[in-house]
Amino acid sequence: MFNFLKRTSLPTQAEALPGRQTPIPTAEDHFVNGRALKPPYPNGMKQALFGLGCFWGAERKFWQMGDGIWVTAAGYAGGVTPNPTYEEVCSGLTGHNEVVLVVYDPAKVSYEDLLRTFWENHDPTQGMRQGNDVGTQYRSGIYVFDEEQHRAAEASKEAYGRALAGQGYGPVTTEIVAAPPFYFAEDYHQQYLAKNPGGYCGLGGTGVTCQIGTGVAAG
């Protein structure tokens, strides 16, 4: 992705950009499966929200998980500025993270499966960066929608942290907090690597296996 100021500390409320009350325009349908990007989603579907670096590559990892994934979307969350633009997020003055919204069928894919994809496809020990992508929008984060997700996320963080430590990695810096407002990113960011197969993907895992997500659960 593109680094503007490479800010590595979150802005205060006074520093944050004002944003806007109107959502920025985005795509109507998912470029890969043709389903509506925005809610309402079908009954029985659940939502998950993750930040693991550049959302171009991160979103692709989740839509490639198969038919248990109803739809995915790139967006911004975890900051102060309402309805931010990509340029505003890259300035470091919104506090937002680049995130992926995953709408999934818990009868076909478990939340633990999603967590396994999350952990294995980035380095969660790097703080405000992923590889050469530096800035607050590249931090590792799990944003939970209920207590069940919170318990699963915390347990997976502890387990994966032990596995990483065993391979010489430092402490996990992933934030786990209640899901904040999610703002859909601009049209051109949605399913970017399906539209641009040769496009940039800075995602890279540690090679350490996450030993969760072996079955389907209701979470």
Side-chain angles (χ1 to χ4, degrees):
M1 298 290 276
F2 312 107
N3 294 312
F4 289 27
L5 299 180
K6 296 189 176 181
R7 185 184 174 110
T8 56
S9 61
L10 293 171
T12 64
Q13 182 78 46
E15 292 175 317
L17 297 173
R20 56 202 50 81
Q21 294 304 309
T22 304
I24 60 174
T26 191
E28 292 187 4
D29 301 318
H30 196 279
F31 184 80
V32 177
N33 63 29
R35 293 169 179 156
L37 209 61
K38 294 185 175 183
Y41 303 118
N43 290 338
M45 297 294 150
K46 299 196 73 173
Q47 298 183 49
L49 193 62
F50 303 102
L52 55 155
C54 170
F55 53 15
W56 292 349
E59 187 189 6
R60 180 171 63 178
K61 291 295 182 182
F62 288 103
W63 86 58
Q64 288 179 336
M65 289 183 68
D67 64 358
I69 305 300
W70 180 257
V71 77
T72 59
Y76 314 114
V80 177
T81 302
N83 297 299
T85 66
Y86 175 64
E87 289 75 18
E88 289 171 343
V89 171
C90 286
S91 77
L93 294 175
T94 71
H96 286 294
N97 198 2
E98 290 189 17
V99 297
V100 178
L101 175 68
V102 183
V103 181
Y104 66 102
D105 183 349
K108 296 180 178 179
V109 62
S110 70
Y111 187 64
E112 286 76 11
D113 289 326
L114 301 181
L115 287 170
R116 179 160 54 101
T117 294
F118 167 79
W119 291 118
E120 291 185 351
N121 285 286
H122 77 302
D123 181 349
T125 69
Q126 294 191 327
M128 299 295 186
R129 59 184 282 262
Q130 275 299 301
N132 292 327
D133 291 333
V134 179
T136 53
Q137 75 268 32
Y138 301 118
R139 65 191 187 269
S140 177
I142 304 174
Y143 307 97
V144 299
F145 288 88
D146 55 37
E147 184 56 34
E148 187 175 9
Q149 286 190 356
H150 186 262
R151 288 195 300 268
E154 291 287 2
S156 70
K157 178 179 179 179
E158 181 178 351
Y160 199 55
R162 290 196 300 269
L164 289 170
Q167 297 298 317
Y169 284 87
V172 172
T173 60
T174 304
E175 61 182 8
I176 300 176
V177 298
F182 171 80
Y183 301 103
F184 287 87
E186 293 84 344
D187 189 339
Y188 76 96
H189 289 302
Q190 304 300 337
Q191 301 83 59
Y192 180 86
L193 291 180
K195 300 171 184 173
N196 303 276
Y200 170 79
C201 176
L203 220 59
T206 61
V208 178
T209 301
C210 181
Q211 300 292 338
I212 61 169
T214 56
V216 173

